[in-house]
């Protein structure tokens, strides 16, 4: 007995002493595929929106007298989680989505200029770099906040709602049968279950006008997306005389939350920037016709043609307001005021201000100026129109009446509000306009 103990002890020590240590190494990937470009149903629509923005910004440049695309300075201050769910241990959603939103705006391109607002760490890095390189006199310790130039905008966004379980549907079917007896007793069971859980996310965006520091009325967006979780369970079991065999299969599919957030950001930014610029962005949304005419008379009356009508009444009403009223800054308290727009340009002068004050004299474009500027965009993108402005207006006016855009009994004529709305909302956007300087 003692000999066996000694023998097994010897074998154990021998095996342990001869153990081989395996070292894992990391090699170059053999079959790892290249990363795939992330796309959503709105990725292509961002290109359409960039083309549209470039052409509509041409009007702003034309009014300034240079007939060039005027850039729009945009800054993403913050896009964050306002629900508090990101602070939980599960980390279902990111706490800060500003980088994601900045990437979306940069993908639009065209006349957008994204001004960067540095964070606290970036400001410290800039100061340190300045102190190290004091001999370089041309270097400034401060960032130039381009978003505070006149004509820019600062965007804020937040995920304001995330209901994990908004609804639950469950369908189940169970079946069980016993038959036979004695040594042939048989038991059979089967079950089927379908489960659908619904969640809801909502994201809000708002815009700040940098010339006044105010949040711009009607320039905001609120969009909701539904997320679904599908579950299916199938199982069966068979038992004969206590000997059993069974099978079970469970499948669960969950909509990706981060993909849903990206989609909310893309749509929210398209809507918010478009409302600020008064652009008919709905022509760039999936399912919309980019070639048809935008009719607006029923929208002005508060009517919609169908429940899924994509036309935005806020944009259409703001285009109408902008044609009939011009805005200016009243230096007393720095408030934005409106003046009924005349046919020709007019000036507002504040005699109490010194001569060199930038707001002493402010010019408000006339209705004719605005009509001619939009007409110039039509003529630039539609070479079949006459070069003469009056003949071009006449041609388009008759075309809009034929298409039902302007009523046959319209009393405004070539220079009326309906004509301006028709011109503005039906600009023939040129493909790849965002790449044309």
């Amino acid at each position: 007995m003692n000999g066996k103990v000694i023998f097994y002890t010897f074998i154990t020590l021998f095996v342990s002493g001869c153990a081989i240590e395996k070292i894992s190494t990391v090699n170059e990937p053999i079959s790892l595929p290249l990363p795939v470009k992330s796309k959503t149903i709105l990725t292509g629509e961002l290109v359409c929106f960039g083309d549209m923005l470039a052409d509509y910004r041409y009007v702003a440049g034309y009014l300034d007298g240079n007939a060039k695309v005027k850039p729009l300075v945009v800054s993403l201050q913050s896009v964050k989680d306002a629900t508090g769910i990101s602070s939980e241990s599960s980390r279902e959603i990111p706490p800060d989505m500003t980088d994601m939103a900045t990437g979306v705006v940069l993908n639009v391109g065209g006349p957008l200029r994204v001004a960067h607002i540095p964070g606290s760490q970036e400001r410290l890095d800039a100061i340190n770099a300045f102190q190290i390189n004091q001999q370089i006199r041309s270097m400034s310790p401060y960032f130039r906040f381009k978003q505070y130039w006149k004509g820019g905008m600062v965007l804020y966004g937040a995920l304001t709602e995330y209901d994990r379980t908004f609804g639950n549907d469950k369908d189940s079917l169970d079946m069980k049968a016993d038959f036979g007896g004695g040594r042939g007793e048989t038991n059979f069971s089967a079950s089927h279950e379908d489960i659908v859980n619904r969640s809801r996310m909502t994201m809000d965006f708002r815009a700040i006008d940098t010339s006044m520091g105010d949040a711009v009325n009607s320039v905001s967006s609120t969009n909701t997306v539904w997320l679904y979780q599908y579950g299916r369970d199938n199982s069966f079991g068979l038992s004969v005389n206590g000997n059993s065999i069974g099978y079970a299969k469970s499948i669960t599919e969950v909509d990706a939350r981060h993909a849903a957030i990206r989609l909310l950001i893309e749509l929210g930014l398209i809507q918010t920037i478009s409302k600020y610029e008064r652009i008919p962005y709905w022509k760039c949304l999936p399912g919309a016709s980019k070639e048809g005419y935008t009719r607006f008379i029923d929208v002005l009356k508060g009517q919609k043609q169908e429940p899924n009508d994509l036309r935005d009444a806020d944009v259409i009403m703001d285009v109408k307001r902008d044609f009939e009223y011009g805005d200016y800054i009243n230096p007393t308290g720095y408030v934005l005021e409106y003046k009924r727009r005349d046919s020709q340009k007019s000036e507002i002068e504040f005699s109490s201000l010194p001569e060199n004050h930038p707001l002493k004299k402010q010019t408000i474009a006339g209705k004719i100026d605005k009509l001619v500027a939009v007409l110039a965009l039509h003529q630039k993108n539609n070479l079949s129109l006459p070069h003469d402005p009056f003949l071009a207006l006449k041609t388009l006016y008759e075309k809009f009446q034929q298409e039902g855009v302007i009523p046959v009994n319209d009393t405004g004529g070539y220079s009326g509000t309906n004509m301006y709305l028709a011109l503005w909302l039906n600009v023939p956007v040129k493909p790849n306009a965002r790449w044309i300087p």
Side-chain angles (χ1 to χ4, degrees):
M1 191 68 176
N2 293 334
K4 289 183 178 181
V5 172
I6 295 173
F7 174 75
Y8 285 125
T9 302
F10 174 78
I11 293 297
T12 302
L13 292 174
F14 176 79
V15 172
S16 300
C18 294
I20 299 174
E21 182 180 359
K22 185 177 181 180
I23 302 175
S24 299
T25 59
V26 178
N27 299 318
E28 291 294 326
I30 299 174
S31 59
L32 187 66
L34 287 173
V36 179
K37 184 177 181 179
S38 178
K39 291 184 178 180
T40 69
I41 58 174
L42 290 177
T43 300
E45 276 61 26
L46 291 174
V47 175
C48 169
F49 174 59
D51 292 339
M52 187 176 288
L53 183 63
D55 266 341
Y56 275 86
R57 290 298 293 176
Y58 173 86
V59 177
Y62 194 93
L63 284 171
D64 285 348
N66 56 20
K68 293 182 179 180
V69 176
K70 189 176 181 181
L72 173 65
V73 180
V74 177
S75 179
L76 273 298
Q77 176 63 50
S78 70
V79 181
K80 60 184 181 179
D81 168 38
T83 65
I85 292 179
S86 61
S87 61
E88 299 179 1
S89 58
S90 59
R91 289 284 183 177
E92 293 183 46
I93 56 177
D96 191 339
M97 294 154 274
T98 308
D99 288 340
M100 191 184 297
T102 302
V104 171
V105 176
L106 289 173
N107 284 335
V108 173
L112 283 182
R113 299 293 180 267
V114 181
H116 174 59
I117 299 179
S120 57
Q121 184 60 48
E122 290 175 296
R123 289 195 294 270
L124 288 174
D125 291 343
I127 293 173
N128 290 335
F130 174 73
Q131 291 174 345
I132 294 172
N133 298 279
Q134 291 184 19
Q135 68 275 17
I136 305 177
R137 300 297 184 183
S138 60
M139 183 176 180
S140 171
Y142 306 108
F143 287 88
R144 293 186 65 188
F145 290 167
K146 294 173 61 177
Q147 70 276 8
Y148 291 111
W149 293 356
K150 184 178 180 181
M153 61 186 299
V154 180
L155 294 170
Y156 291 82
L159 188 71
T160 55
E161 178 190 14
Y162 181 25
D163 293 318
R164 282 193 181 97
T165 307
F166 192 86
N168 175 274
D169 294 330
K170 182 178 180 180
D171 296 324
S172 60
L173 175 65
D174 294 305
M175 183 177 63
K176 185 176 183 180
D178 300 323
F179 52 89
R183 295 181 61 82
E185 182 179 357
T186 304
N187 308 105
F188 176 78
S189 64
S191 67
H192 170 79
E193 187 174 76
D194 283 327
I195 302 175
V196 179
N197 294 321
R198 296 188 299 276
S199 302
R200 188 170 70 180
M201 282 184 178
T202 299
M203 180 165 282
D204 291 78
F205 277 93
R206 67 184 188 277
I208 308 299
D209 186 278
T210 57
S211 62
M212 293 300 302
D214 297 337
V216 187
N217 290 337
S218 300
V219 180
S220 62
S221 67
T222 301
N223 294 292
T224 298
V225 66
W226 290 89
L227 293 91
Y228 291 86
Q229 177 181 355
Y230 300 95
R232 172 168 292 182
D233 293 321
N234 292 308
S235 66
F236 77 86
L238 178 66
S239 174
V240 179
N241 291 335
N243 299 312
S244 61
I245 184 174
Y247 171 81
K249 184 177 182 180
S250 178
I251 298 175
T252 302
E253 295 181 3
V254 183
D255 284 336
R257 292 181 290 268
H258 287 68
I261 291 174
R262 182 176 295 276
L263 192 61
L264 285 171
I265 289 175
E266 288 176 343
L267 182 56
L269 288 174
I270 287 176
Q271 288 180 336
T272 307
I273 297 174
S274 295
K275 289 182 177 183
Y276 184 85
E277 289 291 288
R278 307 182 188 98
I279 294 176
Y281 65 88
W282 53 85
K283 294 182 180 180
C284 285
L285 297 183
S289 173
K290 299 175 178 59
E291 303 298 331
Y293 287 94
T294 295
R295 297 175 177 84
F296 50 83
I297 299 300
D298 53 341
V299 180
L300 293 177
K301 295 178 181 179
Q303 303 170 355
K304 286 294 188 83
Q305 293 178 345
E306 51 190 20
N308 61 343
D309 195 336
L310 298 177
R311 295 174 301 172
D312 194 324
D314 289 338
V315 173
I316 295 176
M317 291 299 295
D318 203 25
V319 173
K320 180 177 184 295
R321 191 274 313 160
D322 180 62
F323 181 68
E324 296 178 350
Y325 295 89
D327 52 48
Y328 64 95
I329 299 175
N330 189 330
T332 306
Y334 281 84
V335 294
L336 197 65
E337 295 185 353
Y338 297 98
K339 175 184 179 298
R340 183 172 290 277
R341 201 182 293 274
D342 299 328
S343 296
Q344 305 295 332
K345 67 179 180 180
S346 56
E347 286 190 350
I348 294 179
E349 182 176 353
F350 295 91
S351 57
S352 59
L353 295 177
E355 290 297 327
N356 59 349
H357 196 284
L359 299 178
K360 183 177 179 62
K361 290 183 179 181
Q362 301 179 54
T363 302
I364 297 178
K367 290 183 177 180
I368 301 300
D369 298 326
K370 293 183 71 65
L371 269 169
V372 170
V374 185
L375 178 64
L377 179 54
H378 278 262
Q379 290 175 309
K380 180 176 76 75
N381 290 351
N382 184 1
L383 299 180
S384 64
L385 286 175
H387 293 288
D388 181 83
F390 179 78
L391 292 178
L393 276 176
K394 182 178 182 296
T395 302
L396 288 172
Y397 187 79
E398 294 173 352
K399 179 67 174 178
F400 290 146
Q401 284 189 320
Q402 292 173 4
E403 297 292 337
V405 179
I406 297 178
V408 178
N409 59 351
D410 176 59
T411 58
Y414 301 160
S415 60
T417 302
N418 285 341
M419 182 58 179
Y420 181 76
L421 278 168
L423 286 172
W424 182 264
L425 298 174
N426 293 286
V427 168
V429 176
K430 195 169 185 179
N432 300 319
R434 65 178 185 158
W435 299 112
I436 302 174

